[in-house]
Each structure stands twice: as structure tokens, then as C-alpha cells.
Amino acid sequence: MILRKFLSDESGATAIEYGLIAACISVVIITVIQTVGTNLTATFQEVGDALTQGGGGSGSGG
């Protein structure tokens, strides 16, 4: 009787499923953050290069 009740209990399986869902969401978040970081780095590099080359700012003139 106790063994049957133990084998039919699925509360542990639910916790494992929630853990797997949380892990998948974490992987997606990390991937998105890395992609955004890479794009941001490239953008700042382009801006830095344009400033170094004197790329047409309206702030200097005289």
C-alpha cells in the first residue's frame, strides 16, 4: 500500500519539470544577452572609429 502510493506520487516529477523549464529559459536569456552585447560592442566600435577619423561632427568649427 505504501509502495503504491510512493510510486504514484508525481510531485517530484513536477519539480524536475519546473527546473528544466527554468534552465531552458536561462539559456535563452544568456544567449540574447550575449548577442545584444556583441552588437553593442560593434556599434561602439563604429562610433569610436568615426570619431577617431574626424567623421563629420558639427561640434567643431570656427
Side-chain angles (χ1 to χ4, degrees):
M1 185 74 170
I2 295 175
L3 183 60
R4 280 188 192 166
K5 189 174 182 180
F6 176 74
L7 292 176
S8 66
D9 185 18
E10 295 183 0
S11 61
T14 303
I16 291 172
E17 289 169 357
Y18 283 130
L20 288 173
I21 291 170
C24 290
I25 291 172
S26 299
V27 168
V28 169
I29 289 172
I30 289 169
T31 303
V32 167
I33 288 174
Q34 285 180 341
T35 303
V36 168
T38 302
N39 292 341
L40 213 62
T41 301
T43 301
F44 279 119
Q45 185 65 44
E46 289 177 17
V47 170
D49 291 344
L51 290 174
T52 302
Q53 296 172 2
S58 63
S60 65

